[in-house]
């Protein structure tokens, strides 16, 4: 048969409730996994087989300690309903996932000469999600489950449940770090970055997607599980993309960090970054470096990249920054330095100038993206001024101009204190940037178009690329901040 005939036949089978997998068609019982994420009701589905006995490699995390994540040979379970089976091409190794992958205890990480305690969190600080408590509660139960980690990826659809409409077998897709159902309360109000399926990741929501050799059920953390040769997810987490871009480049664009960085500077979910704006990006990991590129694409005229790591400042200049600052060098004068760089050519109020004095001041960045966060482990590269991430978060707020926008995207540790009057009447608009405020189905195809047109330089940020077998060593580069971005290929 021709390709067109084959595709048409597959679509016909899908309409009849028959699922295509690797060229073979098997029947699927309608209704399984269709209504939601029901763990208990959906584990036994003998008539819902899509792929039977398929084996694949995946990194499984369970228990505690530095050896909690191991590469295992797994056997795929049947899928049905809204589930999608994706053959993984590439996965971005997200910094926020390092704790659970490498088994780092709370606020403690292996230093250059062995374990070294990080500074104690401020009073009242919440426990880090990346290092769940050993017993009790949802985190404790998740910690005991066999989970494939990974916050997104790119791949090719190999099979779909009978109720899937968004993608077809053979489609290239981004498995997004944020779902987009299009039907929940938040999606209907234009806030799909807050899609309520994002909260359905507890131990009772996950569905076993494979088994270990000893029969232990294996689950995809966050319904994604990018650290494996295949991903089993639900259709609300999948975005079809139509591109011939390489797996590594597309793995950058489809990652949660690039999506959040580009989303913060180019999407409609946060404040609009207008052409000619003065922009400050605080923190130049993959998210911040993507935000630098988004600021350039959106027409920012002054783009200030702030990071303690020299290699990242140099990379920021290559992808669009006009100025770079080392927060360790600037110290308490960092905010004043940003205001100096953004005050404009004149300070005459009747001539449209920006007055750096006055009650609220006019100088400062029109648009600020904060992307620092807390250290999961003491870096082996240059260290920042505050391992909790609170100091750079406060500085980011203070360097924003009156009437400006600040998008915060990081995972700091502790509580922030701001000048009260600045907060109440200072004119700053704060956007809490989950996924940078982006809408996956709307924005990820736009980001892919930026990649294909050469506007977004993905390869410049992919400083470490490894096969699946070398995932752990690449994640160590990520946690020690000796690379900008690590990509795992499968």
């Amino acid at each position: 048969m021709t390709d067109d005939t084959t595709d048409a036949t597959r679509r016909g089978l899908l309409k009849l409730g028959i699922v295509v997998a690797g060229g073979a068609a098997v029947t699927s019982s309608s209704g399984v996994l269709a209504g939601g994420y029901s763990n208990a009701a959906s584990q036994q589905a003998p008539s819902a087989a899509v792929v039977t006995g398929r084996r694949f490699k995946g990194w499984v995390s369970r228990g505690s300690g530095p050896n909690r994540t191991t590469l295992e040979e797994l056997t795929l379970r049947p899928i049905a309903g809204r589930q999608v089976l994706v053959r993984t091409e590439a996965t971005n190794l997200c910094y926020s996932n390092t704790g659970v992958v490498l088994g780092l205890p709370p606020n403690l990480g292996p230093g250059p000469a062995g374990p070294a305690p990080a500074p104690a969190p401020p009073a009242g600080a919440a426990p880090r999600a990346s290092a769940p408590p050993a017993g009790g509660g949802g985190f404790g139960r998740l910690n005991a489950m066999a989970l494939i980690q990974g916050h997104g990826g790119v791949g090719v659809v190999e099979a779909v449940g009978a109720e899937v409409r968004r993608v077809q077998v053979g489609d290239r897709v981004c498995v997004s770090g944020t779902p987009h159902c299009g039907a929940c309360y938040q999606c209907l109000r234009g806030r799909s970055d807050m899609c309520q399926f994002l909260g359905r990741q507890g131990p009772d929501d996950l569905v076993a997607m494979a088994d270990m050799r000893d029969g232990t059920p294996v689950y995809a953390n966050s319904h994604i599980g990018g650290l494996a040769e295949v991903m089993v997810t639900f259709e609300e987490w999948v975005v079809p993309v139509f591109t011939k871009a390489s797996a590594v480049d597309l793995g950058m664009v489809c990652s949660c960090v690039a999506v959040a960085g580009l989303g913060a500077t180019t999407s409609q979910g946060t404040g609009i970054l207008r052409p000619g704006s003065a922009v400050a990006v605080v923190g130049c990991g993959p998210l911040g470096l993507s935000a630098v590129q988004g600021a350039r694409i959106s027409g920012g005229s002054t783009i200030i990249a702030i990071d303690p790591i020299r290699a990242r400042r140099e990379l920021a200049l290559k992808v669009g920054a006009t100025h770079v600052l080392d927060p360790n060098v600037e110290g308490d004068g960092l905010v004043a330095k940003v205001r100096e760089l953004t005050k404009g050519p004149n300070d005459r109020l009747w001539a449209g100038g920006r007055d750096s004095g006055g009650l609220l001041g006019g100088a400062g960045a029109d648009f600020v993206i904060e992307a620092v966060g807390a250290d999961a482990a003491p870096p082996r590269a240059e260290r920042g001024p505050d391992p909790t991430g609170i100091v750079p978060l406060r500085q980011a707020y203070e360097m924003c101009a009156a009437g400006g926008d600040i998008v915060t995207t990081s995972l700091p540790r502790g509580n922030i204190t701001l000048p009260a009057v600045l907060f109440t009447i200072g004119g700053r608009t704060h956007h809490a940037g989950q996924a940078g405020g982006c809408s996956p189905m709307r924005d990820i195809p736009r980001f892919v178009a930026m990649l294909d047109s050469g506007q977004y330089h993905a390869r410049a940020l992919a400083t470490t690329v490894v096969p699946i077998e070398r995932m752990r060593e690449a994640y160590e580069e990520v946690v020690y901040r000796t690379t900008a971005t690590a990509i795992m290929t499968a």
Side-chain angles (χ1 to χ4, degrees):
M1 291 187 293
T2 66
D3 289 343
D4 289 343
T5 304
T6 302
D7 287 344
T9 302
R10 286 177 172 175
R11 287 194 294 270
L13 291 173
L14 289 171
K15 290 179 181 178
L16 295 174
I18 299 173
V19 184
V20 181
V26 290
T27 60
S28 171
S29 60
S30 179
V32 179
L33 302 177
Y37 298 3
S38 175
N39 194 11
S42 60
Q43 292 307 298
Q44 302 299 324
S47 62
V50 172
V51 177
T52 303
R54 160 140 183 203
R55 294 183 177 178
F56 65 96
K57 290 186 290 186
W59 287 92
V60 179
S61 301
R62 59 175 173 169
S64 60
N67 298 317
R68 74 182 303 266
T69 302
T70 55
L71 186 60
E72 305 286 345
E73 183 180 77
L74 308 171
T75 301
L76 189 67
R77 284 196 178 191
I79 70 168
R82 296 192 332 277
Q83 286 184 303
V84 180
L85 172 65
V86 179
R87 173 175 54 81
T88 306
E89 291 184 301
T91 294
N92 189 303
L93 305 185
C94 179
Y95 187 89
S96 64
N97 218 192
T98 54
V100 289
V101 172
L102 299 178
L104 305 179
N107 305 326
L108 188 73
R128 285 173 47 225
S130 61
F139 282 137
R141 290 174 59 197
L142 281 173
N143 202 34
M145 296 167 69
L147 296 173
I148 299 175
Q149 301 291 336
H151 287 170
V154 58
V156 178
V157 174
E158 289 197 344
V160 296
E163 296 164 21
V164 172
R165 297 175 297 176
R166 187 174 293 182
V167 295
Q168 300 178 0
V169 172
D171 282 352
R172 208 171 187 195
V173 297
C174 288
V175 181
S176 172
T178 296
H180 183 176
C181 73
C184 74
Y185 181 92
Q186 297 291 358
C187 285
L188 292 176
R189 284 155 180 79
R191 290 304 305 268
S192 48
D193 59 311
M194 296 291 173
C195 175
Q196 290 179 277
F197 279 96
L198 184 64
R200 303 294 295 276
Q201 299 180 29
D204 293 327
D205 300 314
L206 300 182
V207 177
M209 49 85 74
D211 295 287
M212 298 178 69
R213 289 182 177 180
D214 63 1
T216 300
V218 177
Y219 303 83
N221 193 36
S222 304
H223 306 292
I224 300 171
L227 302 183
E229 291 179 321
V230 300
M231 293 176 276
V232 175
T233 186
F234 290 90
E235 82 174 301
E236 54 267 27
W237 297 80
V238 175
V239 178
V241 293
F242 302 90
T243 175
K244 295 181 180 179
S246 73
V248 172
D249 288 354
L250 198 55
M252 272 298 311
V253 174
C254 291
S255 72
C256 56
V257 287
V259 163
L262 288 172
T265 45
T266 70
S267 82
Q268 300 170 20
T270 57
I272 302 300
L273 198 166
R274 296 173 177 83
S277 294
V279 183
V281 179
V282 186
C284 291
L287 196 161
L289 289 168
S290 294
V292 167
Q293 296 206 52
R296 170 181 51 79
I297 293 167
S298 294
S301 58
T302 299
I303 303 172
I304 305 166
I306 303 166
D307 198 278
I309 300 174
R310 179 179 179 180
R312 295 186 175 186
R313 295 196 302 273
E314 292 174 348
L315 187 50
L317 287 171
K318 292 179 180 178
V319 297
T322 59
H323 302 76
V324 292
L325 297 176
D326 181 346
N328 290 325
V329 172
E330 303 299 334
D332 292 338
L334 178 63
V335 173
K337 183 68 172 182
V338 171
R339 289 177 178 165
E340 175 67 21
L341 291 172
T342 57
K343 67 180 183 181
N346 83 87
D347 61 358
R348 293 158 47 197
L349 302 187
W350 289 101
R354 305 183 76 171
D355 182 5
S356 58
L359 177 63
L360 300 175
D366 303 305
F367 206 95
V368 179
I369 303 93
E370 180 276 329
V372 180
D375 288 346
R380 287 178 177 166
E382 299 92 329
R383 301 188 182 192
D386 177 16
T388 71
I390 294 298
V391 169
L393 178 59
R394 187 189 71 243
Q395 290 173 327
Y397 192 92
E398 292 177 344
M399 70 179 62
C400 185
D405 294 89
I406 174 171
V407 184
T408 53
T409 66
S410 71
L411 298 174
R413 186 168 60 241
N415 301 309
I416 185 171
T417 301
L418 294 170
V421 173
L422 181 71
F423 178 76
T424 57
I425 64 169
R428 283 80 172 160
T429 300
H430 173 218
H431 308 270
Q434 204 298 112
C438 88
S439 168
M441 282 291 289
R442 178 194 67 203
D443 291 329
I444 288 178
R446 289 197 308 111
F447 302 156
V448 172
M450 293 176 189
L451 172 68
D452 288 342
S453 68
Q455 293 174 292
Y456 180 71
H457 306 309
R459 188 58 61 96
L461 308 190
T463 47
T464 298
V465 180
V466 298
I468 188 172
E469 292 80 7
R470 293 173 54 197
M471 183 280 298
R472 277 192 63 93
E473 64 182 85
Y475 244 127
E476 289 178 356
E477 291 188 49
V478 172
V479 76
Y480 294 132
R481 301 187 191 268
T482 55
T483 190
T485 311
I487 299 284
M488 184 201 84
T489 59

